[in-house]
Structure formats: structure tokens, C-alpha cells
Amino acid sequence: NMRKLTAQTFVAFAALAIVHTCQAEIFLEEHFNDPSWFDQWKQSEHKDQGQLVTPNIHGEARGLMPVEDGKLSIVTKKLERPIISRDRSQLVLQFTALFPEHATCVEAVFKIGKDGAVDPENVNPKTPFAITFGPRMCREVVGQLKLQFSYKNRTVTRNERIPLDIPFSGAKTHLYTLIIHSDDTYEVLFDNQQAVFRQSLGSDFNFLPPQTLERPKPEWWDERHGEFIDDPEDKPGPEWTEEEEILDKTAVKPEDWDTEANGEWVAPKLKNPKWIKNWKPKRIKNPDFLEFRSLPVENPEYVFDDKLHDLGPYNSLSIQVGGTPAGIVLDNVLLTDSRTEAKMKSTEVYSRIKHLEHEKVTQDAHASSLVFEELQKEKEAAMKAAMEAQQNADVKEDL
């Protein structure tokens, strides 16, 4: 009975997964394997654009790669039809990035464009986009994962950056996933692991002004009349003097003092033992102090918005990539309305990539081991030859 129940449960879950997959919609999926990709993705004509190529990276798989150091390249693809985000429970953007080793500064940013707001031929780094997401890697580590939104004609950034501390220990492909939910929450996954657990857009980003403000102080309030004041009755004691130095009364005018040559003789000064440095009166409670308690007041500019996730409709996806050195490779781009669909795609593709990269590392390590063994043999042979030559020289010398 237990086996039967387990089998039934498995079938039920499988059926649910199939139904979900059928309902999921993929708005864009790109692997750059088709040579016609460049006709579908329009490169910006903004000044000084870098060249892009699609080399083989993992077996027959290709990826998008800039080849000119220090240049940014921007390409844009229009969606077949706009995404109406209010009709979707999720919006998922996912891609893989293979960064070059020892990068000075490299970035790979994906930008979702709002309907009618993006001209592919004139896109530049300052063009506003509804959603911007992607890593920026500088000086041997991934500096941060950029995530920002465009809301009511202003850029909205995260209150705290998303750090990804990943050393460049060999060229490795990483998977980046952004999930935006219809309940105004979001998640960020890195290599299918939570980089940011499900959080509120409203609390993590400055979409809205503060709901309350600090009540301003009344006009009659005088900051000088604080809670404590100097005691007007406190005076320095009779032993205190304002003179830091006094004349030495014990000093005697030298008998050989020449008044005409040196002027009138004046006794030298000594430090005054009664002088107290920086004397101040003691502080007492101000009898006229009236405490001001600031109670929060409603901010008239605050308007609640429960549709922060709805920044669409969206009609394009742009990729801004480049840096120093060139060589970053982007692939497996997916824009969908299903986290399950994205997970299935990533599990299939990313697992294969990691397997191929592991094999390459193993092969490289084996090749390095063989080279090391050959060098060791050559070194031992050279040492043996040198010893034999020395022995022959010693025999001849004895003769």
C-alpha cells in the first residue's frame, strides 16, 4: 500500500509539473547558436560600440562575447508581444555568465525595457529601463549584483547592495536568476542558491517616500535654551587667576646690565601656579527648559502602492556587456513567467555546463601533471649526466 501510495504521489506531482509547464509562457529564450541572432538583436549605434562575436564555448554551445578591451556593447531584442506584468504571478529573468580571469572591471547587465520607451538603435548606458539586473566584477572579486528599477521617472536602487564574493579561481560559469512576484516581493538566485531570500520590494528599495515625517519644531523654539546651562552663580575661586605667566619676583638685575645697550631690565616670567587652564562654570538644569517631543506626522506625499512589481508593459530586453579585459561570455538567456520553468531550464543546461567545465579542469590538471613529470625526468637526467661527467673528470685527474 505504501509503495502504491508513493507511486500515486509521484504521478500526481509529475502531472502537476506537466500542467504547470504547459501553462508557463516563455517570452524570450536565447542561446546564440543560430547565426541569424544578430538580425534579431539590434546593436546600438551609440558612440564607440565594441564588436561582439558568438564563439563555441562548451562543446557545440555558443555564447555572446565582446572582443575589444574597455568597450561597452549594447544589443536589444524586441519581444514578439508586450508582457503585461499585472496579469502574471511571476516575472523571471535568468542567464549564465562566464567571466574572464583577472578582470580589471567587467560588467554584464540585462535591462528590461518598457513598451514604447526603448529605441534599440539609440540605447546607451543612461537610457532608463524598467528593470536592470546583472553582475559587475572588479579587481579579482565580484563586486556586486546590480538590481534597480525605474519608477515614476526616477531610478530606484536597493537600500543595500547585493555582494557576491567570488574569487577568480579559474574561468567558471555562473547562473543568475531574478524573480519578481505579483505580491510585490522578489528573490535573487546565484547558481540556483538564494543570494537574496524573498523580500519586500517596498522595504528593500526606495520606491515610496517615508510614510511619516518628524514633526518640525515650533517657531518659538530656541535651540540655545537647552536642557542644561552654565551656572551663573559659579565663579572661579580666589586662588584662580587669568594670567598664565607672572614675573619672577625673586629675579635680581645683573650687576653688569648695560641699560644703554640692552634697554630697561625686566624680570623674566614664570608659569603661574594659580592659573587653571580653560576654567568653565559647572552645568545646571535650565529652569526655563521646555522639552520638545517630536511625534511623527503623516507624510502628505506618501501614497501607498501595492503594484510596485507592475512596471510594464515590457517589450524589449537589452544586454549591456563589456569591460577590461574583453572575453566575458553570456548565454542561456531566459525571460519567462514561471520560476518552475526557469528551474527546469537551468537544471538541464547549467548541470551540463558544470560537468563540461569539471572535465576540462580535470584534463588540464592531468596535462599539467604530465608536463611536470616530463620536467622532473629531464631534471633527473641532467643531474645524472652532470654527476657522471664529474666522476669521469675525477678519474682522469687521478691518472
Side-chain angles (χ1 to χ4, degrees):
N1 290 337
M2 182 61 72
R3 290 182 179 178
K4 185 177 180 180
L5 180 60
T6 303
Q8 290 175 344
T9 304
F10 174 79
V11 171
F13 276 113
L16 285 173
I18 292 172
V19 170
H20 185 91
T21 302
C22 293
Q23 293 176 342
E25 185 171 356
I26 296 177
F27 309 114
L28 185 150
E29 185 173 10
E30 183 63 77
H31 300 281
F32 302 103
N33 291 326
D34 189 339
S36 65
W37 76 268
F38 200 78
D39 296 328
Q40 301 172 23
W41 292 80
K42 300 298 181 182
Q43 184 160 12
S44 172
E45 297 179 2
H46 187 67
K47 61 181 181 180
D48 206 22
Q49 286 284 302
Q51 183 183 358
L52 294 166
V53 297
T54 53
N56 286 339
I57 303 301
H58 301 108
E60 297 181 356
R62 293 179 177 273
L64 183 67
M65 182 178 77
V67 293
E68 297 180 76
D69 288 349
K71 287 189 176 182
L72 281 178
S73 302
I74 306 175
V75 291
T76 301
K77 184 174 182 178
K78 289 277 190 176
L79 304 181
E80 292 183 1
R81 60 182 180 278
I83 303 173
I84 310 300
S85 51
R86 71 173 66 92
D87 299 336
R88 311 287 172 176
S89 61
Q90 296 173 341
L91 180 67
V92 184
L93 172 60
Q94 182 170 270
F95 60 91
T96 59
L98 172 62
F99 280 85
E101 293 188 70
H102 311 300
T104 302
C105 203
V106 181
E107 71 173 11
V109 181
F110 287 71
K111 302 181 176 184
I112 300 176
K114 195 169 183 177
D115 190 20
V118 177
D119 178 7
E121 294 182 352
N122 295 310
V123 174
N124 62 74
K126 294 185 178 180
T127 300
F129 283 85
I131 303 171
T132 300
F133 175 67
R136 179 181 174 87
M137 188 177 286
C138 291
R139 295 179 297 277
E140 300 296 327
V141 296
V142 175
Q144 63 179 340
L145 192 55
K146 186 175 185 178
L147 177 57
Q148 64 184 36
F149 301 89
S150 180
Y151 180 75
K152 295 185 177 180
N153 298 319
R154 64 185 181 87
T155 299
V156 177
T157 58
R158 194 170 184 268
N159 297 329
E160 295 181 3
R161 71 177 192 174
I162 307 173
L164 295 175
D165 188 15
I166 308 168
F168 281 93
S169 54
K172 294 181 181 179
T173 299
H174 293 287
L175 177 71
Y176 302 85
T177 308
L178 169 65
I179 307 169
I180 300 175
H181 300 274
S182 59
D183 63 352
D184 284 352
T185 60
Y186 76 103
E187 299 173 71
V188 175
L189 306 182
F190 176 71
D191 291 346
N192 273 334
Q193 302 295 320
Q194 298 281 168
V196 175
F197 286 89
R198 193 164 178 171
Q199 299 288 339
S200 165
L201 287 169
S203 60
D204 278 14
F205 294 82
N206 57 340
F207 280 96
L208 305 175
Q211 188 171 356
T212 60
L213 298 173
E214 183 177 314
R215 183 163 60 97
K217 290 184 173 67
E219 294 181 0
W220 49 262
W221 181 262
D222 189 345
E223 289 287 355
R224 292 173 299 176
H225 295 165
E227 185 176 0
F228 294 91
I229 58 173
D230 292 342
D231 184 358
E233 303 297 328
D234 187 26
K235 306 292 182 184
E239 72 282 357
W240 186 84
T241 175
E242 293 184 357
E243 296 181 356
E244 185 175 355
E245 294 181 327
I246 58 176
L247 294 176
D248 184 2
K249 296 181 179 180
T250 62
V252 179
K253 178 180 177 180
E255 295 181 357
D256 58 349
W257 182 265
D258 188 343
T259 302
E260 293 183 1
N262 300 323
E264 196 67 34
W265 180 82
V266 179
K269 288 188 175 183
L270 299 174
K271 190 172 183 64
N272 186 354
K274 296 183 179 180
W275 178 74
I276 302 175
K277 183 179 181 181
N278 299 330
W279 181 89
K280 292 181 179 180
K282 65 183 180 180
R283 305 280 287 173
I284 60 171
K285 272 272 191 180
N286 182 2
D288 297 326
F289 173 72
L290 179 62
E291 184 176 5
F292 175 79
R293 295 186 181 275
S294 177
L295 300 176
V297 295
E298 293 294 326
N299 183 358
E301 297 183 0
Y302 175 82
V303 178
F304 177 70
D305 188 350
D306 61 353
K307 301 295 183 184
L308 298 178
H309 69 283
D310 183 15
L311 302 175
Y314 314 113
N315 77 331
S316 67
L317 180 66
S318 298
I319 303 175
Q320 178 177 304
V321 59
T324 304
I328 180 175
V329 180
L330 304 177
D331 200 1
N332 307 301
V333 183
L334 180 68
L335 186 60
T336 180
D337 64 355
S338 169
R339 176 178 184 163
T340 303
E341 180 70 19
K343 182 65 180 292
M344 291 173 60
K345 295 280 186 182
S346 66
T347 301
E348 175 188 348
V349 175
Y350 189 58
S351 298
R352 178 176 56 82
I353 291 173
K354 300 307 289 183
H355 176 71
L356 291 172
E357 289 182 347
H358 177 72
E359 282 189 342
K360 184 178 184 302
V361 170
T362 303
Q363 292 171 0
D364 290 346
H366 180 65
S368 299
S369 177
L370 293 177
V371 170
F372 179 76
E373 289 178 6
E374 288 298 321
L375 291 174
Q376 284 292 104
K377 289 179 181 178
E378 292 179 6
K379 182 178 178 181
E380 291 173 0
M383 292 177 62
K384 184 177 180 181
M387 291 177 62
E388 291 177 352
Q390 184 62 44
Q391 289 175 356
N392 292 335
D394 293 342
V395 171
K396 290 180 180 180
E397 186 176 344
D398 293 341
L399 294 176

